[in-house]
Amino acid sequence: MADHSSKDPDWWRQAVVYQVYPRSFADADGDGLGDLKGITRRLDHLAALGVDALWLSPFYPSELADGGYDVADHRDVDPRLGTLDDFDALVAQAHRLGLKVLVDIVPNHTSHLHSWFQEALRSAPGSPARDRYVFRPGRGEHGEDPPTDWQSVFGGSAWKRAPDGEWYLHLFAPEQPDLNWDNEDVRTGFRATLRFWADRGVDGFRIDVAHGLAKDLTEPLRDVGGIGSTGEEALLRVPPGSHPYWDRDEVHEIYRDWRKVFDAYRPRRTAVAEAWVPGTRRALYARPDELDQAFNFEHLQAGWDADELRRVITDSLATARAVGASATWVLSNHDVVRHASRLMLPPGTDPGAWLLSGGSAPAVDGPAGLCRARAATLLMLALPGSSYLYQGEELGLPEVADLPVEVLQDPVWEQTGRVRKGRDGCRVPLPWTTTGPSYGFGPGAAWLPQPPWFASYSVEAQTGTEGSTLELYRTALQLRRGLLEGETLTWTQDAPAGVLDFTRSAAWRCVANLTATPVPLPPGEILLSSAPFDRAGTLPPDTTVWLA
């Protein structure tokens, strides 16, 4: 059995980590925004669920130009969310409950309100203050055109003109100027930030946009032209490590430096990279002298197809094993359509277009989506490696796809000319109770409106309810902890078409039927199933079982 005690430096290798989006988890002070005290009061829920750790999305001072990922101070708490004392109390309570704590580190950019950037704006071109960021003169007779054709992930040019005529780089929102990682102040500052949180008891870090820090800033800056500015497809059009600003080889020097910080602590701190790069490149971030893990987005992006998933699982395990890391698995997070809805979209459906239709084109069968989501979860939890859960998935929450446009907060909506609704539909605050102005999220209304059907998905409605999704997660996580043995699986070679069938150990076999018809159920004691069935020798469609 895996050792998940605080004394095990490798606790993360097969952990279950629960992502908390602080502004949408629990509101203690009644202002409609989730906060640290609210999280602390609800930590019992995570302990009862059976997870090993919680990962806190940004809680730092921010004007919320990008949901908190525009950080004005990397070493403080947004006053709307609490104080450093509140943070310390959260970490202490989590540790009392046996939970590790990971925090988001956002190193690619700061908020435009950050003291460094405000100093840069007050300083002259070419000054040391400006060198912490990426400022360049514009092209054209009067510098009126952006320095390059680089595009923002959120749409439009990745350059914004400062009042004195120079341009600064922002690969995301204009309120998120990119840092210059060739500058020693930046490197020194983030080493200090890592130590600041580690000294407060943080067990690890999730590294935002881990593949974006290093940039080719040699003059003249080069256009990307036909290779593309955003997305993994752009990386496939150039030699590995050579894109002007994504996944450059030089980025790994930064993480080798960070590893020295992590290893100076006892127990040593861990880290996981958010790196949207092809699998073979992703593994580089998880080499022994860099970060411990990197998120596996191929799994999240895979369709409900047995052949595709088997290939992704096999490749992911192999690439992680090649560098001595463990694989990661994730089905939902704060940036994507919740998997209870996404897995029901027909192949080829554009999730953005689906959201723009309010979730009506095509319409999603809610009960069928939940059935498929539950099956996907049991499949994921049976895989070797770490599973990262997103808050609310243990309730079976689908995407809130029909949010009125007037309540949208995601900057993607405006920056794309109102053609992409963005990510608010997966960030709607959680329902805790069946009644109340925000279903127990807080004493008043929530910052995003919750639909009336949230009541039936609430923690209160599902606790103790046989067959509920919450009780399925609780049972699965309890069983999983006792079943873990080794980090390998063995595929059953004669599995029917459309079925994923593998053995983890002598005590544990997982069978998932991804087809539309029942298939024969292998012999063995049923430990858990994602859906009830009569057990007459067949496994229903969209159902996963664990067998002894």
Side-chain angles (χ1 to χ4, degrees), residues 105 107-108 206-214 247 251-252 254-255 272-276 285 291:
I105 294 294
N108 180 69
R206 178 263 190 186
I207 314 303
D208 185 62
V209 195
H211 61 306
L213 279 57
D247 189 39
V251 78
H252 297 288
I254 297 168
Y255 299 129
V272 58
E274 181 208 29
W276 290 85
Y285 293 80
L291 310 176

Coordinates of all heavy atoms in Angstrom, one line a residue, residues 105 107-108 206-214 247 251-252 254-255 272-276 285 291:
I105 N 1.4 29.0 -8.5 CA 2.4 30.0 -8.7 C 2.2 30.5 -10.2 O 2.2 29.7 -11.1 CB 3.8 29.5 -8.5 CG1 4.0 29.1 -7.0 CG2 4.9 30.5 -9.0 CD1 4.0 30.3 -6.1
P107 N 4.1 32.5 -12.8 CA 5.4 33.1 -13.0 C 5.6 33.8 -14.4 O 6.6 34.4 -14.7 CB 6.4 32.0 -12.9 CG 5.6 30.8 -13.3 CD 4.2 31.1 -13.0
N108 N 4.7 33.5 -15.3 CA 4.8 34.0 -16.7 C 4.6 35.5 -16.8 O 5.1 36.3 -17.6 CB 3.9 33.3 -17.7 CG 4.1 33.8 -19.1 OD1 5.1 33.6 -19.7 ND2 3.1 34.5 -19.6
R206 N 1.6 24.4 -8.0 CA 1.2 24.1 -9.4 C 1.7 25.3 -10.2 O 1.4 26.5 -9.8 CB -0.3 24.0 -9.4 CG -0.9 23.8 -10.8 CD -1.4 25.1 -11.4 NE -2.1 25.0 -12.6 CZ -2.6 26.0 -13.4 NH1 -2.3 27.2 -13.0 NH2 -3.2 25.8 -14.5
I207 N 2.4 25.1 -11.2 CA 3.1 26.1 -12.0 C 2.3 26.5 -13.2 O 2.1 25.7 -14.1 CB 4.5 25.7 -12.4 CG1 5.3 25.1 -11.3 CG2 5.3 26.9 -13.0 CD1 5.4 25.9 -10.0
D208 N 1.7 27.7 -13.2 CA 0.8 28.2 -14.3 C 1.7 28.5 -15.5 O 2.8 29.1 -15.4 CB 0.1 29.4 -13.8 CG -0.9 29.9 -14.8 OD1 -1.9 29.2 -15.1 OD2 -0.7 31.1 -15.3
V209 N 1.2 28.1 -16.7 CA 1.8 28.4 -18.0 C 3.3 28.1 -17.9 O 4.2 28.9 -18.2 CB 1.6 29.9 -18.4 CG1 2.0 30.0 -19.9 CG2 0.2 30.3 -18.2
A210 N 3.6 26.9 -17.4 CA 5.0 26.5 -17.1 C 5.9 26.5 -18.4 O 7.1 26.7 -18.3 CB 5.1 25.1 -16.5
H211 N 5.2 26.4 -19.5 CA 6.0 26.3 -20.8 C 6.2 27.7 -21.4 O 6.7 27.7 -22.6 CB 5.2 25.4 -21.8 CG 3.8 25.9 -22.1 ND1 2.9 26.2 -21.2 CD2 3.2 26.1 -23.3 CE1 1.8 26.6 -21.8 NE2 2.0 26.6 -23.1
G212 N 5.8 28.8 -20.8 CA 5.8 30.0 -21.4 C 6.9 31.0 -20.9 O 7.0 32.1 -21.5
L213 N 7.6 30.7 -19.9 CA 8.5 31.7 -19.3 C 9.6 32.1 -20.2 O 9.9 33.3 -20.3 CB 9.1 31.1 -18.0 CG 8.2 31.2 -16.7 CD1 6.8 30.5 -16.9 CD2 8.9 30.6 -15.5
A214 N 10.4 31.2 -20.8 CA 11.5 31.5 -21.6 C 11.1 32.0 -23.0 O 10.2 31.4 -23.6 CB 12.5 30.3 -21.7
D247 N 7.5 26.7 -24.8 CA 8.2 25.5 -24.7 C 9.6 25.6 -25.2 O 10.1 24.7 -25.8 CB 7.4 24.3 -25.3 CG 8.0 23.0 -25.0 OD1 8.4 22.8 -23.9 OD2 8.1 22.1 -25.9
V251 N 13.7 27.1 -20.8 CA 12.8 27.1 -19.7 C 13.3 26.1 -18.6 O 13.0 26.3 -17.4 CB 11.4 26.9 -20.1 CG1 11.1 25.4 -20.4 CG2 10.4 27.5 -19.1
H252 N 13.9 25.1 -19.0 CA 14.2 24.0 -18.1 C 15.3 24.4 -17.1 O 15.4 23.9 -16.0 CB 14.6 22.7 -18.9 CG 13.4 22.2 -19.7 ND1 12.4 21.6 -19.1 CD2 13.2 22.3 -21.0 CE1 11.5 21.3 -20.0 NE2 12.0 21.7 -21.2
I254 N 15.3 27.2 -15.6 CA 14.6 27.8 -14.5 C 14.2 26.8 -13.5 O 14.3 27.0 -12.3 CB 13.4 28.6 -15.1 CG1 13.9 29.7 -16.0 CG2 12.5 29.2 -14.0 CD1 12.8 30.4 -16.8
Y255 N 13.6 25.7 -14.0 CA 13.1 24.7 -13.1 C 14.2 23.9 -12.4 O 14.0 23.4 -11.3 CB 12.1 23.8 -13.8 CG 10.9 24.6 -14.4 CD1 10.5 24.5 -15.7 CD2 10.3 25.5 -13.6 CE1 9.5 25.3 -16.2 CE2 9.2 26.3 -14.0 CZ 8.9 26.2 -15.4 OH 7.9 27.0 -15.8
V272 N 4.0 20.6 -9.8 CA 3.4 20.1 -11.1 C 3.3 21.2 -12.1 O 2.9 22.3 -11.7 CB 2.0 19.4 -10.8 CG1 1.0 20.4 -10.2 CG2 1.5 18.8 -12.0
A273 N 3.6 20.9 -13.3 CA 3.7 21.9 -14.4 C 2.4 21.9 -15.2 O 1.9 20.8 -15.5 CB 4.8 21.7 -15.3
E274 N 1.8 23.1 -15.4 CA 0.8 23.2 -16.4 C 1.5 23.6 -17.7 O 2.0 24.7 -17.9 CB -0.2 24.3 -16.1 CG -1.3 24.5 -17.2 CD -1.9 25.9 -17.3 OE1 -1.2 26.9 -17.0 OE2 -3.0 26.0 -17.7
A275 N 1.7 22.6 -18.6 CA 2.5 22.7 -19.8 C 1.7 22.1 -21.0 O 1.6 20.9 -21.1 CB 3.9 22.1 -19.7
W276 N 1.1 23.0 -21.8 CA 0.3 22.6 -22.9 C 1.2 22.3 -24.1 O 1.4 23.1 -25.0 CB -0.7 23.6 -23.3 CG -1.8 23.8 -22.3 CD1 -1.8 24.5 -21.2 CD2 -3.1 23.1 -22.3 NE1 -3.0 24.4 -20.5 CE2 -3.8 23.6 -21.1 CE3 -3.7 22.2 -23.2 CZ2 -5.1 23.1 -20.9 CZ3 -5.0 21.8 -22.9 CH2 -5.7 22.3 -21.7
Y285 N 9.6 18.3 -18.3 CA 9.3 19.2 -17.2 C 9.3 18.4 -15.9 O 9.4 18.9 -14.8 CB 8.0 19.9 -17.3 CG 8.0 20.9 -18.4 CD1 7.8 20.5 -19.8 CD2 8.1 22.3 -18.1 CE1 7.8 21.5 -20.8 CE2 8.1 23.2 -19.2 CZ 8.0 22.8 -20.5 OH 8.0 23.8 -21.5
L291 N 10.7 19.6 -12.1 CA 9.5 19.5 -11.3 C 9.1 18.0 -11.2 O 9.6 17.2 -12.0 CB 8.4 20.3 -12.0 CG 8.7 21.7 -12.4 CD1 7.6 22.4 -13.2 CD2 9.1 22.5 -11.2

